[in-house]
Each structure stands twice: as structure tokens, then as C-alpha cells.
């Protein structure tokens, strides 16, 4: 079934190029844009689910249909309403996934687990052209389906830490700030912050840390600072980082 969909995918890619001659998509340029996605997504024959699902064959496919990946409920609801990732839908989704799902579902509470936004339309087109060419190796993917079903990192802690890239956009996104804030007050103020027992943990000096440093400390822990990678997903830790690094954060 996966194999049969390959020719379809290729013809779709051809259609994309033919349909909008004025605004060429450039798969090579798209490969560069795709670097922004790599922290969370993989493509190719050995791709595994990470924070986000494998993106092989995603173009022109039903939303939320990568096998073995646990999607959040809003995107699943959109899929149930028939959402298919054609170029137009993907462009809008990439611009702002949460806003897109809210509009699609006509539900102001809908939320995307994808916190990243790609605003530039040419970059959107290019990355979609790149993705349209990523069919993956369907056979190898099926072979590994069982081992990857449980998704979470086979990466070492250091590899996960090294894979983190924090864009200005990500750090400035109010969705991340709010989510991070909630987790901060749920878990971190036991030891940090003005309400904590004095001396339990040092007062944080966020201005002195890079986002990558904060991620590393939270993910891996350090001395009496606990490690959080089993409590929070990578995505959630990234949101905590966005909160700690935000101007509105008060240690
Ligand atoms: C910070 C992590 C992160 C980054 C960076 C990211 N994504 Fe995502 N993406 C996700 C997550 C998590 C989901 C699952 C969404 C859900 O369950 O609501 C997702 C879902 C998707 C989907 C829907 C897949 C499906 O099977 O329906 C597409 C398409 C997608 N991302 C494309 C991209 C592209 C293209 C980029 C780069 C321009 C990108 N993403 C960058 C985390 C990310
Ligand atoms: C059980 C108490 C405790 C909890 C809960 C805790 N921390 Fe810590 N944290 C510490 C201690 C103690 C240190 C100092 C470790 C050291 O350098 O010896 C620390 C250090 C840090 C540092 C590095 C500070 C520096 O100046 O080097 C960061 C960043 C940090 N914590 C963030 C967090 C975040 C975010 C959370 C919530 C997810 C959290 N911590 C929860 C105890 C805690």
C-alpha cells in the first residue's frame, strides 16, 4: 500500500511544479529550509519519530497519519474531518499551526503540539517541494515500524541536547511562554523562586544563560538539580526554556 502511493507522490510533485509557474518551488532551497525542522522531524529511509512525526510522504497525505506517532487531539480531530496536506493547507499550517487548527476546527481552544512557525511563503513552498520528494523507503520503514512504535529518543542525552536549536520566533512565541510558565509553577518553584525554601536552589540569572544551556540543565540535571527528561517531553522542556528566557520571567 505504501509502495503503491509512490507514483502518486511523484506525480503530485510534478503537478506542484506545473501548477504555479510564476512561483517556482525549489527542492534544493527547501532542503536548507528543512534544517529548521530537523530538531523535531526526520525524513529518509531510517527516519524515526522524534518530538514530531516522520515527514516522509506527508505531502498530499491525510493529516495525522504517520504510523506509530502519538498526535495531539486537535490535529486528530482535523484529520477526522478529512484534512489532507496539500500545498495550500500545508502553507497555512506552517505559518502558525495552532492558529490554523483553530480556524480549521472552528474551535478557539484547539492547539497544535507543533510550536514552530515558518512565516516566509517562499520558504514554505520550498520546504514543501523538498518534502514532496521525500518518499522514504517504505519497506525499510515497515520493517522498523515495531521498534519505532514507541517513538521516544533512542538518542543519547547529549545528542538530544546537541540537537536543540532555539529560534527567536520560538522564544518569542506566547504559546511557548504560557505553556512553559505553567510547567515552571507546577514543578520548578518547589526549589527555585521567591516562594521556595531559601537555599534550596540558586536564584536563576536567565540573562546569563543561553537557551541551549537552560535546556541542557533541565533535560540532564546537574548535581542537586533533578533531570526532567522523563517528566517532560523535549518539546515541553523547550517551552520551559522559552519561559525562563522570556523578558516576563521573574526568578
Ligand atoms: C519544535 C519542534 C518542531 C519543529 C521545529 C517543527 N515541527 Fe512540525 N510538528 C511538530 C510536532 C510536535 C508535530 C505534531 C503536531 C500535533 O500532534 O499536534 C508536528 C507536525 C507536523 C506536520 C503534520 C504531520 C502529520 O503527519 O500530519 C507537518 C506537515 C510538519 N510538522 C511540518 C514541519 C516542517 C516542514 C517544519 C520545518 C519548517 C516543522 N514541522 C518544524 C514539531 C515540530
Ligand atoms: C528539587 C529542587 C529543584 C527543582 C524542582 C528544580 N531545580 Fe533547578 N536547580 C536546583 C539546584 C540545587 C540547582 C543548582 C545545581 C548546581 O549548580 O549545583 C539548580 C540549577 C538550575 C539551573 C542552572 C542554574 C545555574 O546558574 O547554573 C537551571 C537553569 C535550573 N535549575 C532550572 C530549573 C527548571 C526550569 C526547573 C523546573 C523544570 C527546575 N530547575 C527545577 C534545584 C531544583
Amino acid at each position: 500500500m505504501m509502495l503503491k502511493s509512490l507514483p502518486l507522490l511523484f506525480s503530485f510533485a510534478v503537478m506542484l511544479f506545473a501548477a504555479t509557474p510564476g512561483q517556482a518551488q525549489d527542492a534544493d532551497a527547501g532542503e536548507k529550509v528543512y534544517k529548521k525542522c530537523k530538531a523535531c522531524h526526520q525524513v529518509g529511509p531510517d527516519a524515526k519519530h522524534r518530538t514530531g512525526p516522520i515527514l516522509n510522504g506527508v505531502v498530499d497525505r491525510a493529516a495525522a497519519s504517520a504510523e506509530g506517532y502519538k498526535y495531539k487531539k486537535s490535529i486528530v480531530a482535523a484529520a477526522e474531518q478529512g484534512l489532507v496536506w496539500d500545498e495550500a493547507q500545508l502553507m497555512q499550517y506552517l505559518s502558525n499551526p495552532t492558529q490554523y487548527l483553530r480556524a480549521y476546527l472552528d474551535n478557539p481552544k484547539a492547539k497544535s503540539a507543533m510550536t514552530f512557525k515558518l512565516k516566509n511563503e517562499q520558504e514554505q513552498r520550498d520546504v514543501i517541494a523538498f518534502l514532496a520528494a521525500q518518499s522514504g523507503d517504505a519497506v525499510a520503514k515497515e520493517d522498523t515500524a515495531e521498534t519505532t512504535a514507541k517513538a521516544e529518543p533512542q538518542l543519547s542525552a547529549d545528542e538530544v541536547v546537541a540537537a536543540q536549536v532555539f529560534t527567536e520566533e520560538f522564544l518569542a512565541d506566547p504559546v511557548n511562554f504560557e505553556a512553559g510558565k505553567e510547567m515552571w509553577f507546577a514543578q520548578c518553584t518547589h526549589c527555585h523562586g521567591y516562594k521556595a525554601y531559601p537555599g534550596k536552589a540558586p536564584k536563576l540569572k536567565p540573562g546569563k544563560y543561553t537557551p541551549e544551556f537552560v535546556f541542557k540543565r533541565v533535560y540532564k540535571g546537574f548535581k542537586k538539580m533533578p533531570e526532567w527528561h522523563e517528566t517532560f517531553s523535549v518539546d515541553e522542556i523547550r517551552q520551559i526554556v522559552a519561559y525562563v528566557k522570556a523578558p516576563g520571567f521573574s526568578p
Side-chain angles (χ1 to χ4, degrees):
M1 172 241 168
M2 298 255 192
L3 280 172
K4 270 190 217 142
S5 66
L6 285 182
L8 232 174
L9 260 172
F10 286 125
S11 57
F12 182 75
V14 170
M15 257 168 53
L16 269 181
F17 282 96
T20 49
Q23 308 156 312
Q25 296 88 0
D26 183 339
D28 289 342
E31 188 167 4
K32 293 205 186 83
V33 178
Y34 176 72
K35 288 197 175 133
K36 298 182 185 180
C37 323
K38 271 185 164 170
C40 302
H41 292 286
Q42 295 192 352
V43 292
D46 301 323
K48 293 196 172 64
H49 297 313
R50 293 298 180 209
T51 303
I54 295 170
L55 291 181
N56 288 334
V58 72
V59 179
D60 207 24
R61 186 179 72 193
S65 59
E67 232 167 277
Y69 181 81
K70 205 165 177 316
Y71 292 92
K72 289 288 182 329
K73 60 175 192 266
S74 297
I75 194 172
V76 171
E80 279 163 5
Q81 291 188 20
L83 175 59
V84 169
W85 289 133
D86 63 22
E87 188 192 30
Q89 303 300 322
L90 273 175
M91 285 179 73
Q92 292 174 48
Y93 178 78
L94 293 176
S95 295
N96 187 335
T98 288
Q99 192 179 303
Y100 173 83
L101 290 175
R102 284 181 184 173
Y104 189 90
L105 295 168
D106 196 15
N107 173 1
K109 292 206 176 122
K111 232 175 144 179
S112 173
M114 173 156 144
T115 49
F116 176 83
K117 295 176 191 152
L118 185 69
K119 296 277 184 194
N120 182 294
E121 290 193 5
Q122 189 61 48
E123 289 189 356
Q124 293 168 359
R125 286 199 186 88
D126 291 343
V127 83
I128 292 166
F130 170 74
L131 290 176
Q134 306 302 312
S135 52
D137 178 346
V139 177
K141 204 171 114 192
E142 293 212 320
D143 281 344
T144 54
E146 271 159 42
T147 48
T148 56
K150 267 243 118 189
E152 277 313 287
Q154 267 89 26
L155 287 180
S156 73
D158 289 325
E159 284 169 328
V160 174
V161 168
Q164 302 308 311
V165 178
F166 288 91
T167 61
E168 299 265 299
E169 265 174 324
F170 179 85
L171 292 169
D173 186 340
V175 173
N176 296 333
F177 178 90
E178 287 305 329
K181 183 175 178 182
E182 213 169 281
M183 292 181 268
W184 170 261
F185 281 105
Q187 297 288 357
C188 314
T189 52
H190 296 313
C191 299
H192 293 281
Y194 60 89
K195 279 198 263 169
Y197 186 74
K200 254 197 164 171
K203 189 169 169 185
L204 297 186
K205 303 183 195 75
K208 291 199 169 169
Y209 316 137
T210 61
E212 290 78 13
F213 170 81
V214 178
F215 183 93
K216 182 165 105 184
R217 279 292 184 264
V218 177
Y219 190 88
K220 288 181 69 177
F222 185 71
K223 298 186 184 167
K224 287 191 180 148
M225 160 75 177
E227 50 183 66
W228 292 95
H229 60 85
E230 281 176 2
T231 311
F232 296 121
S233 68
V234 167
D235 231 14
E236 287 169 335
I237 295 178
R238 291 175 58 86
Q239 293 178 317
I240 295 171
V241 171
Y243 176 64
V244 170
K245 285 299 294 173
F249 172 77
S250 68

Short mmCIF file of all heavy atoms in Angstrom, two decimals, residues 187-211:
data_model
loop_
_atom_site.label_atom_id
_atom_site.label_comp_id
_atom_site.label_asym_id
_atom_site.label_seq_id
_atom_site.Cartn_x
_atom_site.Cartn_y
_atom_site.Cartn_z
N GLN A 187 6.31 22.71 38.70
CA GLN A 187 7.43 21.85 39.10
C GLN A 187 8.65 22.58 39.64
O GLN A 187 9.33 22.08 40.53
CB GLN A 187 7.91 21.00 37.91
CG GLN A 187 6.88 20.03 37.37
CD GLN A 187 6.63 18.86 38.30
OE1 GLN A 187 7.27 18.73 39.35
NE2 GLN A 187 5.69 18.00 37.95
N CYS A 188 8.96 23.71 39.09
CA CYS A 188 10.27 24.30 39.36
C CYS A 188 10.26 25.14 40.62
O CYS A 188 11.29 25.27 41.28
CB CYS A 188 10.73 25.13 38.16
SG CYS A 188 10.49 24.27 36.58
N THR A 189 9.11 25.73 40.95
CA THR A 189 9.07 26.63 42.11
C THR A 189 9.11 25.87 43.43
O THR A 189 9.12 26.48 44.49
CB THR A 189 7.83 27.54 42.06
OG1 THR A 189 6.67 26.73 41.88
CG2 THR A 189 7.92 28.54 40.91
N HIS A 190 9.14 24.53 43.38
CA HIS A 190 9.43 23.80 44.61
C HIS A 190 10.81 24.18 45.14
O HIS A 190 11.05 24.19 46.33
CB HIS A 190 9.40 22.28 44.38
CG HIS A 190 8.06 21.77 43.98
ND1 HIS A 190 6.91 22.12 44.63
CD2 HIS A 190 7.68 20.95 42.97
CE1 HIS A 190 5.88 21.53 44.04
NE2 HIS A 190 6.33 20.82 43.04
N CYS A 191 11.71 24.45 44.23
CA CYS A 191 13.08 24.75 44.63
C CYS A 191 13.55 26.14 44.23
O CYS A 191 14.37 26.73 44.90
CB CYS A 191 14.04 23.73 44.02
SG CYS A 191 13.69 22.04 44.54
N HIS A 192 13.07 26.62 43.08
CA HIS A 192 13.50 27.94 42.59
C HIS A 192 12.41 28.97 42.90
O HIS A 192 11.25 28.62 43.04
CB HIS A 192 13.70 27.91 41.07
CG HIS A 192 14.84 27.04 40.63
ND1 HIS A 192 16.16 27.42 40.70
CD2 HIS A 192 14.86 25.79 40.11
CE1 HIS A 192 16.93 26.46 40.23
NE2 HIS A 192 16.16 25.44 39.87
N GLY A 193 12.83 30.22 42.94
CA GLY A 193 11.83 31.28 43.02
C GLY A 193 11.56 31.74 44.43
O GLY A 193 11.95 31.10 45.40
N TYR A 194 10.85 32.84 44.53
CA TYR A 194 10.68 33.51 45.82
C TYR A 194 9.87 32.70 46.82
O TYR A 194 9.96 32.91 48.02
CB TYR A 194 10.08 34.90 45.63
CG TYR A 194 8.73 34.91 44.97
CD1 TYR A 194 7.57 34.83 45.75
CD2 TYR A 194 8.60 34.99 43.59
CE1 TYR A 194 6.33 34.82 45.15
CE2 TYR A 194 7.36 34.96 43.00
CZ TYR A 194 6.22 34.88 43.76
OH TYR A 194 4.99 34.84 43.18
N LYS A 195 9.05 31.78 46.33
CA LYS A 195 8.22 31.01 47.26
C LYS A 195 8.94 29.79 47.83
O LYS A 195 8.50 29.19 48.79
CB LYS A 195 6.93 30.55 46.57
CG LYS A 195 5.88 31.66 46.53
CD LYS A 195 4.50 31.08 46.27
CE LYS A 195 4.20 31.18 44.81
NZ LYS A 195 3.08 30.50 44.28
N ALA A 196 10.05 29.43 47.18
CA ALA A 196 10.76 28.22 47.61
C ALA A 196 11.50 28.46 48.92
O ALA A 196 11.81 29.60 49.28
CB ALA A 196 11.74 27.79 46.53
N TYR A 197 11.76 27.39 49.61
CA TYR A 197 12.54 27.47 50.84
C TYR A 197 13.91 28.04 50.49
O TYR A 197 14.59 27.53 49.59
CB TYR A 197 12.67 26.06 51.43
CG TYR A 197 13.34 26.03 52.76
CD1 TYR A 197 12.65 26.47 53.90
CD2 TYR A 197 14.64 25.56 52.90
CE1 TYR A 197 13.27 26.44 55.13
CE2 TYR A 197 15.25 25.53 54.12
CZ TYR A 197 14.58 25.97 55.24
OH TYR A 197 15.19 25.95 56.46
N PRO A 198 14.33 29.08 51.19
CA PRO A 198 15.60 29.73 50.83
C PRO A 198 16.76 28.73 50.82
O PRO A 198 16.87 27.92 51.72
CB PRO A 198 15.80 30.77 51.94
CG PRO A 198 14.46 30.96 52.58
CD PRO A 198 13.70 29.69 52.37
N GLY A 199 17.56 28.82 49.82
CA GLY A 199 18.74 27.99 49.76
C GLY A 199 18.55 26.64 49.07
O GLY A 199 19.50 25.92 48.84
N LYS A 200 17.30 26.32 48.73
CA LYS A 200 17.08 25.04 48.05
C LYS A 200 17.73 25.00 46.68
O LYS A 200 18.18 23.97 46.22
CB LYS A 200 15.57 24.79 47.89
CG LYS A 200 15.07 23.74 48.85
CD LYS A 200 13.72 23.23 48.40
CE LYS A 200 13.39 21.93 49.11
NZ LYS A 200 12.01 21.53 48.86
N ALA A 201 17.68 26.15 46.01
CA ALA A 201 18.29 26.23 44.69
C ALA A 201 18.72 27.67 44.46
O ALA A 201 18.14 28.58 45.03
CB ALA A 201 17.28 25.82 43.63
N PRO A 202 19.73 27.85 43.65
CA PRO A 202 20.19 29.22 43.40
C PRO A 202 19.13 30.02 42.65
O PRO A 202 18.31 29.46 41.94
CB PRO A 202 21.43 29.01 42.54
CG PRO A 202 21.26 27.68 41.90
CD PRO A 202 20.47 26.85 42.86
N LYS A 203 19.16 31.32 42.85
CA LYS A 203 18.30 32.19 42.06
C LYS A 203 18.80 32.16 40.62
O LYS A 203 20.00 32.33 40.38
CB LYS A 203 18.38 33.60 42.64
CG LYS A 203 17.37 34.53 42.03
CD LYS A 203 17.30 35.84 42.80
CE LYS A 203 16.46 36.82 42.00
NZ LYS A 203 16.43 38.15 42.58
N LEU A 204 17.87 31.93 39.70
CA LEU A 204 18.31 31.85 38.31
C LEU A 204 18.65 33.24 37.78
O LEU A 204 18.02 34.22 38.15
CB LEU A 204 17.22 31.22 37.43
CG LEU A 204 16.86 29.76 37.76
CD1 LEU A 204 15.89 29.21 36.73
CD2 LEU A 204 18.10 28.88 37.85
N LYS A 205 19.65 33.27 36.90
CA LYS A 205 20.04 34.53 36.25
C LYS A 205 19.91 34.33 34.75
O LYS A 205 20.92 34.17 34.06
CB LYS A 205 21.48 34.87 36.63
CG LYS A 205 21.72 34.97 38.12
CD LYS A 205 23.16 35.40 38.39
CE LYS A 205 23.56 35.18 39.83
NZ LYS A 205 23.82 33.75 40.16
N PRO A 206 18.67 34.35 34.26
CA PRO A 206 18.43 33.96 32.86
C PRO A 206 19.22 34.76 31.85
O PRO A 206 19.60 34.24 30.80
CB PRO A 206 16.94 34.19 32.66
CG PRO A 206 16.37 34.51 33.99
CD PRO A 206 17.46 34.75 34.97
N GLY A 207 19.50 36.02 32.17
CA GLY A 207 20.28 36.85 31.25
C GLY A 207 21.66 36.26 30.97
O GLY A 207 22.25 36.50 29.93
N LYS A 208 22.15 35.46 31.89
CA LYS A 208 23.49 34.90 31.74
C LYS A 208 23.51 33.57 31.00
O LYS A 208 24.57 33.05 30.70
CB LYS A 208 24.10 34.67 33.13
CG LYS A 208 24.41 35.95 33.85
CD LYS A 208 25.41 35.65 34.95
CE LYS A 208 25.96 36.94 35.53
NZ LYS A 208 26.71 36.67 36.75
N TYR A 209 22.33 32.98 30.79
CA TYR A 209 22.32 31.66 30.16
C TYR A 209 21.90 31.76 28.69
O TYR A 209 21.05 32.56 28.35
CB TYR A 209 21.30 30.72 30.83
CG TYR A 209 21.29 30.73 32.34
CD1 TYR A 209 20.08 30.73 33.02
CD2 TYR A 209 22.47 30.71 33.07
CE1 TYR A 209 20.03 30.71 34.40
CE2 TYR A 209 22.44 30.69 34.46
CZ TYR A 209 21.22 30.70 35.12
OH TYR A 209 21.17 30.69 36.48
N THR A 210 22.45 30.87 27.89
CA THR A 210 21.90 30.68 26.55
C THR A 210 20.72 29.73 26.70
O THR A 210 20.66 28.95 27.66
CB THR A 210 22.92 30.02 25.60
OG1 THR A 210 23.25 28.72 26.15
CG2 THR A 210 24.18 30.86 25.46
N PRO A 211 19.77 29.79 25.74
CA PRO A 211 18.65 28.84 25.81
C PRO A 211 19.14 27.39 25.81
O PRO A 211 18.58 26.54 26.49
CB PRO A 211 17.85 29.13 24.53
CG PRO A 211 18.38 30.38 23.95
CD PRO A 211 19.66 30.72 24.62
#
